[in-house]
mmCIF file of all heavy atoms in Angstrom:
data_model
loop_
_atom_site.group_PDB
_atom_site.id
_atom_site.type_symbol
_atom_site.label_atom_id
_atom_site.label_comp_id
_atom_site.label_asym_id
_atom_site.label_seq_id
_atom_site.Cartn_x
_atom_site.Cartn_y
_atom_site.Cartn_z
ATOM 1 N N ALA A 28 -30.908 -129.913 -142.509
ATOM 2 C CA ALA A 28 -31.193 -130.507 -141.213
ATOM 3 C C ALA A 28 -32.098 -129.584 -140.403
ATOM 4 O O ALA A 28 -31.826 -128.387 -140.277
ATOM 5 C CB ALA A 28 -29.903 -130.777 -140.453
ATOM 6 N N ALA A 29 -33.166 -130.142 -139.860
ATOM 7 C CA ALA A 29 -34.091 -129.405 -139.015
ATOM 8 C C ALA A 29 -33.783 -129.675 -137.551
ATOM 9 O O ALA A 29 -33.566 -130.824 -137.157
ATOM 10 C CB ALA A 29 -35.536 -129.789 -139.324
ATOM 11 N N SER A 30 -33.776 -128.626 -136.758
ATOM 12 C CA SER A 30 -33.533 -128.755 -135.332
ATOM 13 C C SER A 30 -34.537 -127.910 -134.560
ATOM 14 O O SER A 30 -35.290 -127.138 -135.135
ATOM 15 C CB SER A 30 -32.101 -128.349 -134.973
ATOM 16 O OG SER A 30 -31.865 -126.995 -135.300
ATOM 17 N N GLY A 31 -34.523 -128.048 -133.240
ATOM 18 C CA GLY A 31 -35.490 -127.364 -132.407
ATOM 19 C C GLY A 31 -36.726 -128.216 -132.223
ATOM 20 O O GLY A 31 -36.642 -129.434 -132.096
ATOM 21 N N SER A 32 -37.888 -127.570 -132.205
ATOM 22 C CA SER A 32 -39.160 -128.275 -132.053
ATOM 23 C C SER A 32 -39.597 -128.822 -133.399
ATOM 24 O O SER A 32 -40.555 -128.348 -134.020
ATOM 25 C CB SER A 32 -40.213 -127.333 -131.467
ATOM 26 O OG SER A 32 -39.828 -126.842 -130.206
ATOM 27 N N SER A 33 -38.896 -129.828 -133.862
ATOM 28 C CA SER A 33 -39.036 -130.295 -135.233
ATOM 29 C C SER A 33 -39.997 -131.474 -135.385
ATOM 30 O O SER A 33 -39.926 -132.197 -136.380
ATOM 31 C CB SER A 33 -37.668 -130.661 -135.798
ATOM 32 O OG SER A 33 -37.012 -131.601 -134.980
ATOM 33 N N PHE A 34 -40.892 -131.661 -134.450
ATOM 34 C CA PHE A 34 -41.893 -132.706 -134.587
ATOM 35 C C PHE A 34 -42.992 -132.263 -135.538
ATOM 36 O O PHE A 34 -43.212 -131.071 -135.766
ATOM 37 C CB PHE A 34 -42.477 -133.065 -133.216
ATOM 38 C CG PHE A 34 -43.192 -131.931 -132.534
ATOM 39 C CD1 PHE A 34 -44.565 -131.780 -132.668
ATOM 40 C CD2 PHE A 34 -42.497 -131.020 -131.763
ATOM 41 C CE1 PHE A 34 -45.231 -130.739 -132.035
ATOM 42 C CE2 PHE A 34 -43.148 -129.978 -131.134
ATOM 43 C CZ PHE A 34 -44.518 -129.840 -131.267
ATOM 44 N N ARG A 35 -43.686 -133.238 -136.122
ATOM 45 C CA ARG A 35 -44.822 -133.009 -137.017
ATOM 46 C C ARG A 35 -44.457 -132.143 -138.219
ATOM 47 O O ARG A 35 -45.229 -131.275 -138.642
ATOM 48 C CB ARG A 35 -46.003 -132.404 -136.258
ATOM 49 C CG ARG A 35 -46.488 -133.258 -135.090
ATOM 50 C CD ARG A 35 -47.751 -132.719 -134.471
ATOM 51 N NE ARG A 35 -48.898 -132.873 -135.353
ATOM 52 C CZ ARG A 35 -50.140 -132.513 -135.033
ATOM 53 N NH1 ARG A 35 -50.390 -131.988 -133.843
ATOM 54 N NH2 ARG A 35 -51.122 -132.689 -135.907
ATOM 55 N N LEU A 36 -43.275 -132.377 -138.773
ATOM 56 C CA LEU A 36 -42.898 -131.734 -140.028
ATOM 57 C C LEU A 36 -43.514 -132.541 -141.162
ATOM 58 O O LEU A 36 -42.932 -133.506 -141.645
ATOM 59 C CB LEU A 36 -41.386 -131.651 -140.168
ATOM 60 C CG LEU A 36 -40.675 -130.739 -139.172
ATOM 61 C CD1 LEU A 36 -39.176 -130.772 -139.395
ATOM 62 C CD2 LEU A 36 -41.195 -129.317 -139.272
ATOM 63 N N ASN A 37 -44.705 -132.138 -141.579
ATOM 64 C CA ASN A 37 -45.459 -132.920 -142.550
ATOM 65 C C ASN A 37 -44.820 -132.906 -143.932
ATOM 66 O O ASN A 37 -44.880 -133.900 -144.654
ATOM 67 C CB ASN A 37 -46.896 -132.404 -142.644
ATOM 68 C CG ASN A 37 -47.761 -133.268 -143.531
ATOM 69 O OD1 ASN A 37 -47.901 -134.475 -143.290
ATOM 70 N ND2 ASN A 37 -48.351 -132.669 -144.554
ATOM 71 N N ALA A 38 -44.225 -131.784 -144.307
ATOM 72 C CA ALA A 38 -43.615 -131.666 -145.619
ATOM 73 C C ALA A 38 -42.307 -130.901 -145.520
ATOM 74 O O ALA A 38 -42.192 -129.934 -144.767
ATOM 75 C CB ALA A 38 -44.552 -130.973 -146.596
ATOM 76 N N MET A 39 -41.329 -131.344 -146.285
ATOM 77 C CA MET A 39 -40.071 -130.637 -146.425
ATOM 78 C C MET A 39 -39.738 -130.575 -147.903
ATOM 79 O O MET A 39 -40.121 -131.457 -148.667
ATOM 80 C CB MET A 39 -38.941 -131.318 -145.658
ATOM 81 C CG MET A 39 -39.174 -131.399 -144.159
ATOM 82 S SD MET A 39 -37.775 -132.114 -143.250
ATOM 83 C CE MET A 39 -36.565 -130.785 -143.417
ATOM 84 N N GLY A 40 -39.037 -129.530 -148.287
ATOM 85 C CA GLY A 40 -38.723 -129.406 -149.693
ATOM 86 C C GLY A 40 -37.661 -128.373 -149.972
ATOM 87 O O GLY A 40 -37.044 -127.814 -149.061
ATOM 88 N N TRP A 41 -37.465 -128.162 -151.266
ATOM 89 C CA TRP A 41 -36.460 -127.238 -151.749
ATOM 90 C C TRP A 41 -37.065 -126.247 -152.725
ATOM 91 O O TRP A 41 -37.849 -126.628 -153.605
ATOM 92 C CB TRP A 41 -35.315 -127.986 -152.448
ATOM 93 C CG TRP A 41 -34.511 -128.832 -151.528
ATOM 94 C CD1 TRP A 41 -34.695 -130.146 -151.230
ATOM 95 C CD2 TRP A 41 -33.374 -128.407 -150.767
ATOM 96 N NE1 TRP A 41 -33.752 -130.575 -150.337
ATOM 97 C CE2 TRP A 41 -32.928 -129.525 -150.029
ATOM 98 C CE3 TRP A 41 -32.697 -127.203 -150.635
ATOM 99 C CZ2 TRP A 41 -31.832 -129.457 -149.180
ATOM 100 C CZ3 TRP A 41 -31.607 -127.137 -149.787
ATOM 101 C CH2 TRP A 41 -31.187 -128.259 -149.075
ATOM 102 N N TYR A 42 -36.710 -124.990 -152.557
ATOM 103 C CA TYR A 42 -37.028 -123.921 -153.485
ATOM 104 C C TYR A 42 -35.719 -123.317 -153.977
ATOM 105 O O TYR A 42 -34.664 -123.524 -153.375
ATOM 106 C CB TYR A 42 -37.872 -122.838 -152.820
ATOM 107 C CG TYR A 42 -39.305 -123.232 -152.537
ATOM 108 C CD1 TYR A 42 -39.615 -124.193 -151.578
ATOM 109 C CD2 TYR A 42 -40.359 -122.635 -153.229
ATOM 110 C CE1 TYR A 42 -40.917 -124.552 -151.318
ATOM 111 C CE2 TYR A 42 -41.670 -122.980 -152.965
ATOM 112 C CZ TYR A 42 -41.945 -123.938 -152.010
ATOM 113 O OH TYR A 42 -43.249 -124.286 -151.748
ATOM 114 N N ARG A 43 -35.801 -122.562 -155.069
ATOM 115 C CA ARG A 43 -34.613 -121.871 -155.546
ATOM 116 C C ARG A 43 -34.999 -120.512 -156.107
ATOM 117 O O ARG A 43 -36.115 -120.308 -156.562
ATOM 118 C CB ARG A 43 -33.862 -122.684 -156.604
ATOM 119 C CG ARG A 43 -34.617 -122.916 -157.905
ATOM 120 C CD ARG A 43 -33.836 -123.863 -158.797
ATOM 121 N NE ARG A 43 -34.516 -124.118 -160.065
ATOM 122 C CZ ARG A 43 -34.097 -124.985 -160.969
ATOM 123 N NH1 ARG A 43 -32.988 -125.691 -160.756
ATOM 124 N NH2 ARG A 43 -34.779 -125.148 -162.103
ATOM 125 N N GLN A 44 -34.041 -119.600 -156.064
ATOM 126 C CA GLN A 44 -34.254 -118.257 -156.562
ATOM 127 C C GLN A 44 -33.009 -117.792 -157.300
ATOM 128 O O GLN A 44 -31.936 -117.681 -156.712
ATOM 129 C CB GLN A 44 -34.593 -117.291 -155.431
ATOM 130 C CG GLN A 44 -34.972 -115.901 -155.902
ATOM 131 C CD GLN A 44 -35.537 -115.050 -154.790
ATOM 132 O OE1 GLN A 44 -35.305 -115.309 -153.610
ATOM 133 N NE2 GLN A 44 -36.292 -114.027 -155.154
ATOM 134 N N ALA A 45 -33.162 -117.530 -158.582
ATOM 135 C CA ALA A 45 -32.097 -116.983 -159.403
ATOM 136 C C ALA A 45 -32.210 -115.463 -159.421
ATOM 137 O O ALA A 45 -33.290 -114.914 -159.173
ATOM 138 C CB ALA A 45 -32.175 -117.544 -160.817
ATOM 139 N N PRO A 46 -31.120 -114.753 -159.727
ATOM 140 C CA PRO A 46 -31.183 -113.290 -159.778
ATOM 141 C C PRO A 46 -32.263 -112.801 -160.724
ATOM 142 O O PRO A 46 -32.356 -113.257 -161.867
ATOM 143 C CB PRO A 46 -29.787 -112.902 -160.273
ATOM 144 C CG PRO A 46 -28.912 -114.022 -159.826
ATOM 145 C CD PRO A 46 -29.761 -115.257 -159.966
ATOM 146 N N GLY A 47 -33.086 -111.883 -160.247
ATOM 147 C CA GLY A 47 -34.141 -111.316 -161.061
ATOM 148 C C GLY A 47 -35.372 -112.171 -161.209
ATOM 149 O O GLY A 47 -36.297 -111.788 -161.940
ATOM 150 N N LYS A 48 -35.424 -113.309 -160.544
ATOM 151 C CA LYS A 48 -36.567 -114.204 -160.645
ATOM 152 C C LYS A 48 -37.186 -114.443 -159.275
ATOM 153 O O LYS A 48 -36.565 -114.214 -158.239
ATOM 154 C CB LYS A 48 -36.151 -115.541 -161.267
ATOM 155 C CG LYS A 48 -35.641 -115.436 -162.695
ATOM 156 C CD LYS A 48 -35.326 -116.804 -163.263
ATOM 157 C CE LYS A 48 -34.852 -116.715 -164.703
ATOM 158 N NZ LYS A 48 -34.532 -118.056 -165.250
ATOM 159 N N GLU A 49 -38.428 -114.917 -159.290
ATOM 160 C CA GLU A 49 -39.115 -115.245 -158.055
ATOM 161 C C GLU A 49 -38.637 -116.580 -157.508
ATOM 162 O O GLU A 49 -38.174 -117.447 -158.252
ATOM 163 C CB GLU A 49 -40.627 -115.298 -158.279
ATOM 164 C CG GLU A 49 -41.250 -113.980 -158.676
ATOM 165 C CD GLU A 49 -42.753 -114.070 -158.824
ATOM 166 O OE1 GLU A 49 -43.289 -115.200 -158.752
ATOM 167 O OE2 GLU A 49 -43.398 -113.030 -159.009
ATOM 168 N N ARG A 50 -38.767 -116.740 -156.214
ATOM 169 C CA ARG A 50 -38.463 -118.017 -155.595
ATOM 170 C C ARG A 50 -39.477 -119.048 -156.079
ATOM 171 O O ARG A 50 -40.688 -118.808 -156.061
ATOM 172 C CB ARG A 50 -38.493 -117.892 -154.072
ATOM 173 C CG ARG A 50 -38.023 -119.136 -153.343
ATOM 174 C CD ARG A 50 -37.971 -118.915 -151.838
ATOM 175 N NE ARG A 50 -37.076 -117.833 -151.466
ATOM 176 C CZ ARG A 50 -36.771 -117.509 -150.210
ATOM 177 N NH1 ARG A 50 -37.275 -118.187 -149.209
ATOM 178 N NH2 ARG A 50 -35.948 -116.488 -149.980
ATOM 179 N N ALA A 51 -38.988 -120.204 -156.508
ATOM 180 C CA ALA A 51 -39.836 -121.208 -157.120
ATOM 181 C C ALA A 51 -39.578 -122.579 -156.514
ATOM 182 O O ALA A 51 -38.455 -122.903 -156.119
ATOM 183 C CB ALA A 51 -39.607 -121.256 -158.632
ATOM 184 N N LEU A 52 -40.620 -123.383 -156.482
ATOM 185 C CA LEU A 52 -40.516 -124.739 -155.967
ATOM 186 C C LEU A 52 -39.638 -125.595 -156.868
ATOM 187 O O LEU A 52 -39.751 -125.557 -158.094
ATOM 188 C CB LEU A 52 -41.907 -125.360 -155.866
ATOM 189 C CG LEU A 52 -41.968 -126.829 -155.452
ATOM 190 C CD1 LEU A 52 -41.546 -126.993 -153.997
ATOM 191 C CD2 LEU A 52 -43.364 -127.395 -155.680
ATOM 192 N N VAL A 53 -38.782 -126.400 -156.248
ATOM 193 C CA VAL A 53 -37.980 -127.386 -156.956
ATOM 194 C C VAL A 53 -38.517 -128.789 -156.702
ATOM 195 O O VAL A 53 -38.792 -129.542 -157.638
ATOM 196 C CB VAL A 53 -36.501 -127.316 -156.547
ATOM 197 C CG1 VAL A 53 -35.694 -128.398 -157.258
ATOM 198 C CG2 VAL A 53 -35.929 -125.935 -156.854
ATOM 199 N N ALA A 54 -38.667 -129.154 -155.437
ATOM 200 C CA ALA A 54 -39.141 -130.482 -155.075
ATOM 201 C C ALA A 54 -39.651 -130.467 -153.645
ATOM 202 O O ALA A 54 -39.168 -129.710 -152.808
ATOM 203 C CB ALA A 54 -38.028 -131.527 -155.222
ATOM 204 N N ILE A 55 -40.640 -131.323 -153.372
ATOM 205 C CA ILE A 55 -41.168 -131.475 -152.024
ATOM 206 C C ILE A 55 -41.358 -132.954 -151.727
ATOM 207 O O ILE A 55 -41.561 -133.768 -152.631
ATOM 208 C CB ILE A 55 -42.500 -130.725 -151.811
ATOM 209 C CG1 ILE A 55 -43.553 -131.195 -152.821
ATOM 210 C CG2 ILE A 55 -42.295 -129.223 -151.893
ATOM 211 C CD1 ILE A 55 -44.937 -130.649 -152.550
ATOM 212 N N ILE A 56 -41.313 -133.282 -150.446
ATOM 213 C CA ILE A 56 -41.549 -134.649 -150.003
ATOM 214 C C ILE A 56 -42.276 -134.600 -148.668
ATOM 215 O O ILE A 56 -41.924 -133.821 -147.784
ATOM 216 C CB ILE A 56 -40.231 -135.447 -149.909
ATOM 217 C CG1 ILE A 56 -40.498 -136.903 -149.525
ATOM 218 C CG2 ILE A 56 -39.254 -134.785 -148.941
ATOM 219 C CD1 ILE A 56 -39.269 -137.796 -149.678
ATOM 220 N N THR A 57 -43.313 -135.415 -148.517
ATOM 221 C CA THR A 57 -44.064 -135.471 -147.273
ATOM 222 C C THR A 57 -43.475 -136.526 -146.355
ATOM 223 O O THR A 57 -42.630 -137.332 -146.751
ATOM 224 C CB THR A 57 -45.541 -135.786 -147.532
ATOM 225 O OG1 THR A 57 -45.674 -137.141 -147.984
ATOM 226 C CG2 THR A 57 -46.129 -134.842 -148.571
ATOM 227 N N SER A 58 -43.945 -136.526 -145.121
ATOM 228 C CA SER A 58 -43.477 -137.522 -144.167
ATOM 229 C C SER A 58 -43.848 -138.928 -144.595
ATOM 230 O O SER A 58 -43.180 -139.887 -144.197
ATOM 231 C CB SER A 58 -44.043 -137.226 -142.773
ATOM 232 O OG SER A 58 -45.461 -137.241 -142.782
ATOM 233 N N GLY A 59 -44.908 -139.063 -145.398
ATOM 234 C CA GLY A 59 -45.320 -140.352 -145.900
ATOM 235 C C GLY A 59 -44.635 -140.774 -147.180
ATOM 236 O O GLY A 59 -44.894 -141.879 -147.676
ATOM 237 N N GLY A 60 -43.785 -139.914 -147.735
ATOM 238 C CA GLY A 60 -43.016 -140.282 -148.905
ATOM 239 C C GLY A 60 -43.558 -139.803 -150.239
ATOM 240 O O GLY A 60 -42.988 -140.144 -151.283
ATOM 241 N N SER A 61 -44.631 -139.023 -150.238
ATOM 242 C CA SER A 61 -45.152 -138.476 -151.487
ATOM 243 C C SER A 61 -44.216 -137.391 -152.003
ATOM 244 O O SER A 61 -43.782 -136.524 -151.241
ATOM 245 C CB SER A 61 -46.548 -137.904 -151.269
ATOM 246 O OG SER A 61 -47.067 -137.359 -152.464
ATOM 247 N N ILE A 62 -43.909 -137.424 -153.304
ATOM 248 C CA ILE A 62 -42.900 -136.551 -153.891
ATOM 249 C C ILE A 62 -43.448 -135.840 -155.120
ATOM 250 O O ILE A 62 -44.174 -136.428 -155.920
ATOM 251 C CB ILE A 62 -41.646 -137.360 -154.282
ATOM 252 C CG1 ILE A 62 -40.970 -137.934 -153.035
ATOM 253 C CG2 ILE A 62 -40.672 -136.504 -155.075
ATOM 254 C CD1 ILE A 62 -39.858 -138.905 -153.335
ATOM 255 N N ASP A 63 -43.076 -134.578 -155.266
ATOM 256 C CA ASP A 63 -43.376 -133.808 -156.468
ATOM 257 C C ASP A 63 -42.150 -133.010 -156.868
ATOM 258 O O ASP A 63 -41.411 -132.522 -156.016
ATOM 259 C CB ASP A 63 -44.557 -132.869 -156.252
ATOM 260 C CG ASP A 63 -45.890 -133.585 -156.274
ATOM 261 O OD1 ASP A 63 -46.207 -134.188 -157.314
ATOM 262 O OD2 ASP A 63 -46.613 -133.533 -155.270
#
């Protein structure tokens, strides 16, 4: 959940980081519904 001045959030997504590894993209979604 986003709070505060949360207008114009064009993209939101999820990253993950396992021990000993770099933080990596899991999934993203734009305000228009585009998903990767």
Side-chain angles (χ1 to χ4, degrees):
S30 62
S32 300
S33 55
F34 62 94
R35 302 187 70 178
L36 293 179
N37 186 58
M39 299 184 70
W41 293 92
Y42 288 68
R43 65 187 180 185
Q44 186 170 22
K48 297 183 178 179
E49 296 183 353
R50 187 175 301 186
L52 175 69
V53 178
I55 57 172
I56 183 169
T57 70
S58 60
S61 180
I62 295 171
D63 283 300

